[in-house]
Amino acid sequence: MGWGNRKADRVTFAAGYTVLIMGIDGTWQRSCTLLDISNSGARLQVKDSIEGLNLKEFFLLLSSTGLAFRRCDLVRVNGDEIGVKFVEDKVPAKKKGRALARSDS
């Protein structure tokens, strides 16, 4: 599957955008350039080696303060570029048949 075979529309950054990836446990981080992004994932150029890192799940830090971030899974590696998909939080489904009654006592 090539980089162009994507389901969601992408925003491409001509000069790139500097971001960090960080392990879920905070034990490692790498500086990256954000090449493009969509609602479902992103393509990053990693500046240092990712060999030996647990990339099953990690954070993409979009701001220097860490207030803007996304949880990610690794999808593909191509040289110094990686493709990631954003992990959505699992929200439990509401139970059907339960009506909330409002009591005005």
Side-chain angles (χ1 to χ4, degrees):
M1 175 185 243
W3 294 109
N5 299 334
R6 299 186 182 113
K7 295 178 183 173
D9 290 335
R10 295 274 169 153
V11 174
T12 302
F13 299 96
Y17 184 78
T18 303
V19 296
L20 288 173
I21 57 173
M22 181 177 72
I24 292 291
D25 59 1
T27 58
W28 61 266
Q29 68 179 18
R30 296 289 184 272
S31 182
C32 300
T33 301
L34 180 62
L35 302 174
D36 65 42
I37 194 166
S38 74
N39 287 335
S40 60
R43 185 168 54 110
L44 308 167
Q45 184 175 34
V46 184
K47 295 188 171 110
D48 294 322
S49 174
I50 59 171
E51 187 175 341
L53 299 178
N54 180 8
L55 293 173
K56 168 62 183 135
E57 194 169 3
F58 57 94
F59 290 114
L60 171 61
L61 304 175
L62 300 167
S63 72
S64 60
T65 61
L67 296 176
F69 64 92
R70 294 295 302 260
R71 231 169 64 206
C72 301
D73 280 339
L74 182 68
V75 176
R76 68 176 60 89
V77 177
N78 184 14
D80 64 347
E81 291 184 9
I82 62 173
V84 301
K85 72 174 181 176
F86 298 137
V87 177
E88 297 294 326
D89 289 332
K90 303 281 190 252
V91 178
K94 294 181 180 179
K95 293 183 180 180
K96 292 183 180 180
R98 282 194 168 189
L100 296 177
R102 186 173 176 169
S103 173
D104 294 325
S105 10

